[in-house]
Amino acid sequence: MSKKIAKVVKIQLPAGEAKPGAALASAGIVMPKFCTEFNEKTADQKGKTVPVIITAYEDKSFDFVIKTSPVANEIKKACNIKSGSSNPKKNKVAKLSKEDVRKIAEYKMPDLNANDIEAAMKIVAGSARSMGVEVEE
């Protein structure tokens, strides 16, 4: 017999630093318990923003799945920039090497809808271009 799902919530939290608050209140779970478990599992990723999918059940229990940090965050970290360009076609804010694109694609591969690393690299390169980051060929 499976538990009845009450709600599925997708949120982004700072790794190792989750605190009870409004974002978690909407999930309808025991927040301190979630925060403790989440912080233990993400302690090695401090400083990153981590997407998490929380499945809350009617009995107030929960399961959660931690995803890899967003491509945009990885691109900003690789280029050492705070944000992308407000006009990416005209204003370029940084350059990203092919090796950096490959590293990000390999890191994101479990969460991307790509069959191989080349397809994943195209997804990462497209994200970079939309942020105003030039991708070296």
Side-chain angles (χ1 to χ4, degrees), residues 8 14 24 26 35 40 46 53 66 119 137:
V8 176
L24 291 174
S26 68
C35 290
E40 286 172 5
K46 278 215 192 268
I53 300 172
I66 299 168
E137 292 303 319

Side-chain angles (χ1 to χ4, degrees), residues 53-120:
I53 300 172
I54 305 168
T55 305
Y57 301 102
E58 287 183 345
D59 64 355
K60 298 286 184 193
S61 64
F62 60 87
D63 290 324
F64 64 95
V65 178
I66 299 168
K67 300 289 188 175
T68 55
S69 63
V71 171
N73 290 3
E74 294 300 316
I75 292 169
K76 288 190 282 188
K77 190 170 90 175
C79 294
N80 201 18
I81 57 175
K82 292 233 185 285
S83 68
S85 173
S86 60
N87 189 345
K89 287 187 178 180
K90 291 184 180 176
N91 303 330
K92 302 297 180 190
V93 292
K95 284 190 177 190
L96 193 63
S97 70
K98 194 117 175 137
E99 296 85 49
D100 286 336
V101 171
R102 180 175 281 281
K103 284 180 195 170
I104 295 169
E106 287 170 351
Y107 169 72
K108 286 294 295 179
M109 194 64 183
D111 293 338
L112 291 176
N113 188 13
N115 293 330
D116 58 18
I117 197 69
E118 296 302 318

Side-chain angles (χ1 to χ4, degrees), residues 13-18 38-40 42-48 50:
L13 299 169
E17 300 170 17
F38 177 82
N39 291 341
E40 286 172 5
T42 59
D44 61 330
Q45 299 179 42
K46 278 215 192 268
K48 289 186 176 184
V50 182

